[in-house]
Amino acid sequence: VRHIYIRDKSELAKFRGSKYLQSNINSTYKETEIFLKKGILVLFSGTSCQIAGLKHFLRKDYDNLITIDCICHGVPSPKVWQLYLKELVGRIENIKSISFRDKKTGWKNYSFTINLKDGTTITHLASKNVYMHGFLSNLYLRPSCEKCPSKSGRSGCDITLADYWGVNILNPDMDDDKGTSLILAYTEKGKNILKELKCKSKLISFEDAKKMNGGFKDCAIPHKKRKLFFEQFNILEFSILVSKCLHLSFRERLALKFYRIKKKLQYYL
């Protein structure tokens, strides 16, 4: 995944869809600065740390710059992703497209889907996919994500985009299981943009917005077997290694189940 710029609405499809990978910024910070100095209106989107990085690079505010970040779970190791793909499909050149959040099975129970150039489709429920399991368990996230200084709205962005997790509890009338977005506006620039949007929307409190979105302020907690994973990374097959590291004893499974029930109940109280 890499950052690029576009200047035509017909190319917006390139930016759509979740991508649970590290994006290569390439030269987009410099390109953004050039556009801004020419007076061109720029909308720059990325993770919180990428927006903070852009702000530090520019070292000044621009009226013609709009910045949007997303609530981020964390960034996985690029090498792990490459190894997984090679194990799954062999030659990466055979891949036509990848969807990390295929909603054919619903928004809450989404799937991971790869379409190959020969017409073959590989799809798993995300909850059953080995790569997504390791990613969501923080098994191979970058260490920098453990102490992210840009969370809790500290990136300096105008707007934050996220899934509205908990909508089925807090605002069930907005839940159709096709995906409900959460939009947070921090600046006057961001608020003015929201006023211009023509879509079904509902104003909620900031507290409700972040209530079930732990990723807003919580940094990734490294998995206790992360070190073991990378020690055996070049020894065992990827799927075998992930299964080995994420295997839970009966007591651990029971404790996890009670934790999830307790966490869910607190939102009803």
Side-chain angles (χ1 to χ4, degrees), residues 81-95:
W81 170 244
Q82 293 295 321
L83 180 68
Y84 168 68
L85 286 183
K86 288 179 181 177
E87 182 178 305
L88 184 65
V89 302
R91 294 176 61 84
I92 296 177
E93 302 79 42
N94 295 331
I95 298 174

Side-chain angles (χ1 to χ4, degrees), residues 71-238:
I71 292 182
C72 175
H73 176 79
V75 175
S77 161
K79 188 174 181 180
V80 169
W81 170 244
Q82 293 295 321
L83 180 68
Y84 168 68
L85 286 183
K86 288 179 181 177
E87 182 178 305
L88 184 65
V89 302
R91 294 176 61 84
I92 296 177
E93 302 79 42
N94 295 331
I95 298 174
K96 180 181 179 181
S97 64
I98 298 174
S99 175
F100 288 89
R101 295 282 295 275
D102 186 342
K103 293 190 284 187
K104 289 186 178 70
T105 50
W107 176 51
K108 302 178 190 71
N109 198 31
Y110 60 91
S111 297
F112 174 91
T113 300
I114 295 180
N115 293 308
L116 302 181
K117 293 178 181 177
D118 65 2
T120 304
T121 297
I122 302 171
T123 186
H124 313 122
L125 286 174
S127 58
K128 304 295 183 181
N129 178 266
V130 64
Y131 175 81
M132 292 299 293
H133 193 194
F135 167 66
L136 294 173
S137 299
N138 303 345
L139 186 59
Y140 30 77
L141 298 185
R142 297 189 69 108
S144 55
C145 297
E146 299 166 16
K147 297 179 180 179
C148 178
S150 304
K151 280 187 173 290
S152 300
R154 295 195 298 265
S155 70
C157 68
D158 297 298
I159 292 173
T160 289
L161 299 180
D163 289 295
Y164 185 11
W165 296 123
V167 65
N168 56 313
I169 297 171
L170 301 171
N171 294 106
D173 57 306
M174 296 289 287
D175 179 29
D176 58 4
D177 201 33
K178 294 180 181 179
T180 305
S181 296
L182 178 66
I183 308 176
L184 305 176
Y186 305 103
T187 65
E188 283 304 312
K189 193 185 298 182
K191 292 174 184 177
N192 288 334
I193 292 172
L194 292 193
K195 290 176 183 178
E196 296 178 17
L197 293 181
K198 297 178 181 178
C199 61
K200 181 182 178 182
S201 62
K202 186 174 185 177
L203 186 65
I204 61 172
S205 70
F206 184 65
E207 288 305 313
D208 275 352
K210 64 180 184 178
K211 199 168 187 179
M212 296 184 74
N213 244 309
F216 176 76
K217 64 180 181 64
D218 297 334
C219 292
I221 299 174
H223 195 279
K224 63 182 180 180
K225 293 184 179 179
R226 183 183 189 280
K227 183 179 179 181
L228 173 65
F229 175 84
F230 282 102
E231 285 176 347
Q232 301 187 7
F233 181 65
N234 294 313
I235 302 174
L236 296 178
E237 288 185 14
F238 176 79

